């Protein structure tokens, strides 16, 4: 007796369960990551202003270096999820190991660059004479943890591809707690100062990497997947990551240009911009959690040769993105009287931030669509299109943003340009999603 096809309502409920099961733990892990820097800042801040300034410069460099390689998580998620959908767990884990070996190689290369050039990099970022020695010390020691940070990215991609976002949450929380305890012990207990904070963070990062490797190695042994480096597999992982690297660099360029323009508008504008940008980043975590679920779910459907399932999941996730964006928009509007005083008591900064903040709120439903479709196309392995679309977005954003100070526009006009940027992203992603060209089924794209 054949089983009756699922009703539309049953299919939606199934998609909802999958999205919630993956997105909620992913959100927790995403929020835990910036807590590392917050904990370091809180501990080092009591040592002195120069030490805290040094940490600010060094951590900005480190986070920039690591964020460039976020493709290790994205590309690995898509590749592993496809093979999971195809029912080939051995090949899925083998693909994940290629990503981990690539992460180790890239991490070693970054160390080789950062250690000898640390003083020059710190000077390039404009650290003061008093802060520069602390920044250099922190950067050189923390650089030793970069391979671990990249392994964490790649291994996180492996587990997401295996439809597991709970383990990354547990590891992130454990890593945060270990980092805080080690920092306190080494900074104050061992009296190592800022160097103790750097060593504490490095130890916590390698502990997280070790935890991930234990999980991945256990899976490899269970499914008899090779752990040895495969040059051809590592090259394939690198090639898959190049388009996503272009996408990430283009997005980073947009954010850096926006900050540079805000700095030209005046002190109140750049202060308000930093407040709004921090909120924008926090909102992005919530929407990115749905995108992460999209990467894993879409990759699995395509790997299982289920094009209809992929389309249905895409539609449902877009609905989730819009609904989440509406909720976030309402929260921003309601919380704005409380939010702004948390960051500043300067009325000029508040007055400058308020209209730009409302523009950010209005854009959230659109941001929900952008993040979700970004995740869908990543899960489909459509990296080349994502790279091209982001370059187009960058080209559209730059002249508009640069005109803001020339035409006498303020921060609200700049965030109008940011909203235009998100509009261009939404249009390019929507056109691709609607075309169906991203739907390529099979264990590999």
């Amino acid at each position: 007796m054949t089983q009756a096809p699922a009703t539309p309502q049953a299919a939606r409920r199934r998609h909802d369960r999958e999205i919630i099961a993956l997105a909620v733990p992913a959100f927790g892990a995403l929020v835990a990551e910036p807590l590392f820097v917050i904990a370091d800042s809180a501990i080092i801040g009591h040592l002195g202003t120069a030490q805290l300034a040094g940490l600010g410069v060094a951590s900005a460099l480190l986070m920039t270096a690591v964020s460039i390689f976020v493709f290790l998580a994205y590309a690995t998620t898509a590749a592993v999820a496809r093979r999971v959908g195809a029912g080939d767990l051995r090949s899925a884990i083998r693909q994940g190991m290629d990503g981990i070996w690539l992460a180790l190689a890239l991490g070693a290369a970054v160390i080789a660059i950062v250690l000898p050039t640390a003083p020059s990099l710190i000077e390039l970022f404009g650290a003061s004479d008093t802060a520069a020695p602390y920044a250099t010390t922190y950067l050189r020691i923390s650089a030793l943890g970069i391979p671990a940070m990249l392994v964490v990215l790649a291994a996180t991609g492996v587990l997401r591809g295996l439809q597991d976002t709970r383990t990354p949450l547990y590891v992130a929380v454990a890593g945060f707690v270990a980092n805080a305890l080690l920092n306190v012990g080494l900074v104050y207990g061992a009296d190592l100062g800022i160097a103790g904070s750097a060593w504490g963070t490095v130890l916590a990062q390698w502990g997280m990497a070790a935890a991930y490797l234990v999980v991945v190695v256990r899976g490899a042994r269970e499914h008899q997947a090779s752990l040895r480096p495969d040059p051809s597999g590592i090259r394939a992982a690198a090639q898959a990551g190049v388009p996503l690297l272009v996408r990430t660099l283009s997005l980073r360029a947009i954010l850096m240009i926006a900050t540079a323009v805000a700095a030209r508008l005046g002190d109140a504008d750049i202060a308000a911009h930093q407040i709004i940008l921090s909120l924008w980043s926090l909102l992005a975590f919530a929407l990115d959690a749905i995108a992460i679920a999209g990467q894993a779910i879409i990759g699995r459907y395509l790997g299982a040769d289920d094009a209809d399932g992929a389309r249905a999941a895409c539609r449902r996730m877009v609905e989730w993105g819009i609904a989440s964006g509406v909720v976030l928009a309402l929260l921003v509007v309601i919380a704005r009287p409380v939010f702004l005083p948390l960051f500043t008591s300067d009325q000029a900064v508040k007055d400058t931030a308020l209209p730009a903040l409302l523009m950010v709120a209005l854009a959230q439903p659109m941001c929900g669509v952008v993040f979700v479709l970004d995740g869908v196309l990543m899960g489909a392995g459509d990296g080349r299109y994502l790279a091209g679309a982001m370059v187009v977005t960058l080209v559209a954003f730059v002249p508009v943003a640069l005109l803001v100070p020339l035409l006498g526009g303020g921060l609200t006009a700049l965030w109008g340009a940011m909203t235009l940027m998100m509009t261009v992203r939404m249009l390019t992603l929507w056109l691709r999603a609607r075309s169906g060209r991203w739907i390529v089924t099979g264990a590999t794209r």
Side-chain angles (χ1 to χ4, degrees), residues 23 38 73 145 182 191 257 319:
I38 293 174
L182 285 167
D191 199 23
I257 290 168
E319 292 170 1

Side-chain angles (χ1 to χ4, degrees), residues 12-336:
R12 281 197 297 272
R13 285 196 296 269
R14 186 180 71 250
H15 290 313
D16 290 345
R17 287 194 297 270
E18 288 182 331
I19 293 168
I20 292 171
L22 291 170
V24 172
F27 175 69
L30 288 170
V31 171
E33 291 173 7
L35 293 178
F36 272 74
V37 177
I38 293 174
D40 288 2
S41 299
I43 293 166
I44 291 176
H46 292 286
L47 295 177
T49 301
Q51 289 91 330
L52 185 59
L55 170 68
V57 174
S59 63
L61 278 164
L62 287 165
M63 290 303 101
T64 299
V66 173
S67 67
I68 288 172
F69 298 112
V70 73
F71 69 84
L72 288 166
Y74 294 157
T76 305
T77 298
V80 171
R82 275 185 176 269
R83 287 160 176 79
V84 169
D88 189 355
L89 289 177
R90 179 180 179 182
S91 178
I93 295 174
R94 174 64 261 179
Q95 180 74 31
M97 285 305 305
D98 292 335
I100 290 172
W101 282 112
L102 175 62
L104 286 170
L106 290 172
V110 173
I111 287 178
I113 294 171
V114 170
L115 288 183
T117 62
S120 300
L121 291 172
I122 296 299
E123 184 179 357
L124 184 65
F125 264 58
S128 66
D129 291 340
T130 54
Y134 296 111
T136 301
T137 297
Y138 191 91
L139 180 60
R140 277 183 165 155
I141 296 172
S142 294
L144 301 177
I146 288 178
M149 294 160 73
L150 300 189
V151 167
V152 166
L153 284 175
T156 299
V158 176
L159 295 180
R160 288 174 181 170
L162 294 170
Q163 318 296 295
D164 176 9
T165 56
R166 289 182 179 272
T167 300
L169 171 61
Y170 300 149
V171 174
V173 171
F176 166 71
V177 173
N179 177 65
L181 294 175
L182 285 167
N183 269 257
V184 171
L186 294 174
V187 171
Y188 298 114
D191 199 23
L192 294 178
I194 195 169
S197 177
W199 280 117
T201 301
V202 167
L203 291 172
Q205 288 162 347
W206 276 107
M208 292 171 66
Y212 274 115
L213 290 175
V214 166
V215 175
V216 175
V217 168
R218 185 187 301 137
R221 287 176 175 167
E222 181 181 348
H223 298 285
Q224 299 181 329
S226 174
L227 296 173
R228 282 179 275 189
D230 176 12
S232 62
I234 295 171
R235 280 195 302 271
Q239 289 169 357
V242 168
L244 295 179
L245 175 61
V246 172
R247 169 200 168 276
T248 300
L249 290 174
S250 299
L251 181 57
R252 295 292 300 184
I254 287 170
L255 297 177
M256 290 176 65
I257 290 168
T259 301
V261 170
R264 288 175 170 240
L265 298 176
D267 289 347
D269 294 87
I270 184 61
H273 176 74
Q274 289 303 114
I275 293 171
I276 294 171
L277 193 60
S278 66
L279 175 64
W280 194 73
S281 300
L282 179 61
L283 298 174
F285 283 137
L287 299 174
D288 203 26
I290 304 174
I292 288 169
Q295 293 171 31
I297 292 170
I298 293 297
R300 193 189 74 233
Y301 274 116
L302 294 177
D305 293 323
D306 188 353
D308 291 338
R311 288 191 188 92
C314 176
R315 285 194 298 269
R316 190 57 178 159
M317 279 183 283
V318 168
E319 292 170 1
W320 268 80
I322 294 172
S324 299
V326 170
V327 171
L328 292 175
L330 292 174
L331 287 175
V332 171
V333 172
I334 293 170
R336 72 187 189 281

